[in-house]
Amino acid sequence: MKRVITTLAILLVVIVAGMTALVLLVNPNDFRSYMVKQVEQRSGYRLEVSGDLRWHVWPKLSILAGRMSLTAPGAAQPLVTAENMRLDVNLWPLLSHQLSVSQVMLSNAVVRATPESAPQQPQNAPVAPGRSEAAAPASGWSFDIGQLRVANSLLIWRQPGGDEYNFRNLNINLNQDARHLASIELSTSLTRNQRNAVLSLKGQLDASQYPHRLSGQIDELNYALSGADIPPQGIKGTLSAQGSWRAETQQFALTQMKLSANDSALSGEASGSLASPQQLALQLHATQLNFDNLMANAPQAGDGAAQHATVARAPVIATPREQNNLDSPLNAMNLAVNLKADSAVWRGLTLQDFALDVTNQQGLIALRTLRGRLGEGDFSAPGTIDIRQAETRVALQPVLNKVAIQPLLAAFDLPQTVQGALSLNGELSGEGLSLEAAKRRWRGDAQLSASDVKLAQLNLQQMVRRAVARASDRVSSDESSEQGIRQLDGRLALNNGVLRLTDLKGEGDRLRLQGGGEVNMPTQQLDMTFGLTLTGWKGDDRLVALLSQQAVPLRIYGGWNNVQYSLPVDQLLRQQLQSEAKSRLNQWLDRQPKNSDSDSLRKLLRP
């Protein structure tokens, strides 16, 4: 044991002495011109290193450098600048006059992916091969990098003519083998327009054909979004996919994509191009898609006011400029989305077999397919959305087939006072895409049909029977088990928030209805007038005939929270009694001899 300890001690002394001698005998500044030359020969990029190079021997043998920059050929700005650079070198190659760099580490770096930092080819210059395999110089030195680490850095990304994005807290850990197959770990954050994004990534990268082509896979990408116009709880999820990138055409493709966003799960493929105009095509399938959990203005469970209060914008020093359609990235790209969802939730409505097929041609959006099943019914709403101007213009052709009315009213923030199933076929157009804009600035008309219609807290048959019973005891009617309207048809017209219903005709158990009116959504007022005709009366033959043939007027009016109604049955009966009395008096006068008194009485009885 004593000999082992002695041997290890001698070995340690030899290593320390050798490293000390290396540090004393080898000047790292001798490598400066070599590194600059090798970088330029292999890539064409110009490397600049400021200050003296110095050794660092623990925990790894490294060369420390000060400020550095890496500039592409002809570029106006450096691609990479860093305050500190560390080169971890292998010891044994160094002893034989070979510089083998195992890892490059940059700290507080700025990486610019902008047009100003991109390589610029001189006019009429020949195109160089993408990867030059220059031979080592006569001195026998070689240059190799297997690992790259970037810590606490900044990535500035901007496409020609586009906005600039600053990715802060950039950390990259890349390990590359001799075949240029790399594993990569990356984390960063982005803050823009009072929105925050944080992401981290683990994946594999094949750079064997770089710079012409990159391919690889994303094993796991975690992201989190928060801030203005994002749900209070934020949006969090993961992404995994296989991908490829072609530099010549600036095309990319993602396959075997799996995406989660809060409680939504999607899978599919994506492809596109970053060349102007930008192209993006998405083919997606969702087992569960919850729009309400992904939209800031969606209704929230529980206290809606309390939920929305948390979306208030954070205070800023200067008020941000107003956003409009001209700022939309859709105006500079072509988009095609084909989405199918087994189940989807929108404004509290549960949609089955939801399908969306939409294309965008630089701001002109065509809803070629927008359909799904809603309860026992189904819906479709193809149309167009034009955002090429400052004001969004919408044109839709909605078709509803036996859709439950009450959930539909709740989804559009309207009083849930009507039950039944609605079928509708119409055309709508207007300005604005929000629900509030639809209530105030849309126009159109439709043919509607509803079945099993019931009014909340209003039984029309019972109202008429009780009103007749209060006005006269000469007729009566049995209570009917049916309380609603079996079938109701009519027309609907929408004009800037005023919903007008005309030509309404309906029938139920011993009930016929006709009428119309309007609902003012901005002022939350309504005024509807119906004529109700009931059958099944018993009693006085004349009153039975009257009530079975003549409609009883019903007016429903007032504010949504204080609805009033008028049912003047007594006036109808009083008119009948007056008419009957006049008829009998006329008959009596006909039997009387003619004189001045009878003639005067006849004049009084004339209508």
Side-chain angles (χ1 to χ4, degrees):
M1 186 65 182
K2 194 172 182 180
R3 291 181 178 179
V4 172
I5 295 175
T6 303
T7 303
L8 291 176
I10 294 173
L11 181 60
L12 179 61
V13 170
V14 171
I15 293 174
V16 172
M19 294 182 66
T20 302
L22 179 65
V23 170
L24 293 176
L25 296 176
V26 179
N27 185 354
N29 289 285
D30 295 340
F31 303 135
R32 183 195 305 273
S33 59
Y34 167 74
M35 290 189 296
V36 171
K37 182 178 179 181
Q38 288 297 303
V39 169
E40 187 167 4
Q41 285 183 352
R42 293 174 179 271
S43 65
Y45 284 67
R46 184 177 73 256
L47 174 65
E48 295 182 2
V49 181
S50 303
D52 291 335
L53 304 181
R54 59 191 186 278
W55 288 111
H56 185 76
V57 298
W58 187 262
K60 295 181 178 180
L61 181 62
S62 306
I63 297 176
L64 300 182
R67 183 174 180 83
M68 61 79 63
S69 66
L70 186 65
T71 306
Q77 292 182 345
L79 175 67
V80 180
T81 59
E83 295 296 329
N84 298 285
M85 179 175 67
R86 190 185 80 192
L87 306 176
D88 294 340
V89 300
N90 297 316
L91 176 62
W92 300 116
L94 190 63
L95 294 176
S96 59
H97 296 282
Q98 293 182 351
L99 178 61
S100 177
V101 179
S102 61
Q103 177 175 268
V104 176
M105 179 175 180
L106 303 178
S107 178
N108 298 319
V110 177
V111 182
R112 290 181 175 86
T114 64
E116 292 77 13
S117 64
Q120 302 294 328
Q121 291 288 346
Q123 290 185 345
N124 302 323
V127 179
R131 178 182 293 274
S132 174
E133 296 294 339
S139 59
W141 295 95
S142 63
F143 187 73
D144 186 30
I145 299 175
Q147 297 180 356
L148 172 67
R149 288 188 61 192
V150 179
N152 302 321
S153 299
L154 169 68
L155 168 63
I156 302 174
W157 181 79
R158 179 168 59 85
Q159 288 290 298
D163 294 333
E164 186 172 279
Y165 296 87
N166 295 331
F167 294 86
R168 303 183 184 278
N169 304 315
L170 178 66
N171 294 278
I172 300 175
N173 193 351
L174 185 145
N175 297 317
Q176 181 180 216
D177 61 16
R179 297 174 298 169
H180 302 289
L181 301 178
S183 62
I184 184 171
E185 295 183 6
L186 179 148
S187 64
T188 187
S189 62
L190 173 66
T191 299
R192 183 175 176 82
N193 296 333
Q194 301 182 42
R195 302 182 186 95
N196 303 314
V198 178
L199 63 88
S200 61
L201 177 148
K202 293 181 180 180
Q204 313 295 321
L205 180 66
D206 182 356
S208 58
Q209 301 180 47
Y210 178 82
H212 302 292
R213 186 176 184 272
L214 291 173
S215 62
Q217 68 180 38
I218 301 173
D219 296 327
E220 182 179 5
L221 185 150
N222 298 298
Y223 68 92
L225 306 175
S226 62
D229 299 327
I230 293 177
Q233 73 276 12
I235 300 177
K236 300 179 181 179
T238 61
L239 170 67
S240 63
Q242 292 187 355
S244 62
W245 162 260
R246 293 185 178 275
E248 290 84 356
T249 58
Q250 297 191 38
Q251 291 180 323
F252 65 90
L254 293 176
T255 60
Q256 302 182 28
M257 185 168 60
K258 294 183 178 179
L259 172 67
S260 67
N262 292 345
D263 57 347
S264 300
L266 302 97
S267 60
E269 299 177 348
S271 61
S273 171
L274 295 182
S276 182
Q278 297 175 359
Q279 310 280 337
L280 177 61
L282 296 172
Q283 190 84 18
L284 300 174
H285 175 264
T287 54
Q288 171 66 30
L289 184 58
N290 190 339
F291 291 106
D292 290 353
N293 214 3
L294 301 175
M295 298 188 302
N297 58 352
Q300 302 290 331
D303 185 3
Q307 291 284 350
H308 286 290
T310 60
V311 193
R313 293 187 174 186
V316 293
I317 297 176
T319 303
R321 67 184 180 92
E322 193 88 6
Q323 299 289 317
N324 57 41
N325 288 341
L326 301 179
D327 301 310
S328 174
L330 294 178
N331 286 315
M333 69 181 302
N334 296 330
L335 174 69
V337 178
N338 190 303
L339 169 65
K340 294 182 179 179
D342 299 335
S343 177
V345 177
W346 179 78
R347 298 195 65 84
L349 299 175
T350 300
L351 314 176
Q352 303 295 331
D353 297 332
F354 177 75
L356 174 66
D357 186 0
V358 57
T359 61
N360 170 64
Q361 296 293 325
Q362 299 181 43
L364 181 59
I365 302 171
L367 296 173
R368 298 191 293 187
T369 301
L370 176 58
R371 68 171 185 265
R373 291 191 297 110
L374 182 55
E376 299 298 323
D378 57 78
F379 69 93
S380 175
T384 60
I385 302 173
D386 190 349
I387 63 171
R388 293 174 296 181
Q389 305 298 325
E391 191 72 36
T392 301
R393 298 189 179 276
V394 183
L396 299 176
Q397 296 83 46
V399 177
L400 306 181
N401 182 32
K402 297 181 180 179
V403 173
I405 298 176
Q406 197 168 39
L408 203 61
L409 293 173
F412 288 95
D413 292 339
L414 296 174
Q416 303 171 47
T417 56
V418 182
Q419 300 179 10
L422 174 67
S423 297
L424 179 146
N425 192 335
E427 294 185 357
L428 295 173
S429 62
E431 295 77 36
L433 199 55
S434 66
L435 180 60
E436 192 63 24
K439 289 182 179 181
R440 294 176 178 269
R441 305 173 62 190
W442 283 23
R443 297 161 297 279
D445 53 56
Q447 185 75 34
L448 65 87
S449 175
S451 59
D452 300 326
V453 179
K454 295 180 181 180
L455 301 178
Q457 301 178 352
L458 288 179
N459 185 333
L460 298 180
Q461 293 95 323
Q462 188 181 75
M463 289 173 61
V464 175
R465 293 191 189 96
R466 291 181 178 178
V468 170
R470 288 194 298 267
S472 173
D473 58 358
R474 296 168 59 187
V475 290
S476 63
S477 177
D478 295 334
E479 293 288 337
S480 174
S481 59
E482 184 178 347
Q483 299 180 1
I485 303 171
R486 191 166 45 250
Q487 184 67 33
L488 178 67
D489 300 303
R491 292 197 62 82
L492 176 152
L494 175 65
N495 186 17
N496 295 333
V498 178
L499 192 65
R500 182 176 294 276
L501 301 169
T502 57
D503 301 330
L504 291 179
K505 295 181 181 180
E507 62 179 18
D509 185 20
R510 302 178 182 179
L511 170 68
R512 293 194 307 273
L513 174 149
Q514 61 182 3
E518 65 179 34
V519 178
N520 193 316
M521 290 184 285
T523 62
Q524 299 187 357
Q525 299 281 327
L526 62 88
D527 192 345
M528 305 289 296
T529 301
F530 302 102
L532 306 176
T533 304
L534 270 67
T535 60
W537 297 100
K538 299 177 181 179
D540 186 278
D541 292 339
R542 291 175 180 266
L543 290 180
V544 168
L546 173 68
L547 294 173
S548 300
Q549 297 176 5
Q550 186 168 344
V552 178
L554 169 64
R555 182 188 178 201
I556 303 175
Y557 61 97
W560 292 355
N561 298 323
N562 185 26
V563 177
Q564 304 179 51
Y565 69 91
S566 172
L567 187 63
V569 175
D570 53 344
Q571 297 179 11
L572 182 66
L573 297 180
R574 185 162 54 248
Q575 291 174 0
Q576 170 59 22
L577 292 174
Q578 290 174 354
S579 177
E580 182 179 348
K582 289 179 181 180
S583 177
R584 291 185 179 182
L585 282 173
N586 284 325
Q587 293 175 5
W588 178 80
L589 289 173
D590 289 340
R591 295 193 297 267
Q592 303 302 316
K594 292 185 177 182
N595 52 47
S596 60
D597 292 337
S598 62
D599 292 340
S600 299
L601 186 56
R602 283 189 178 92
K603 291 180 180 179
L604 291 174
L605 293 176
R606 290 174 184 171

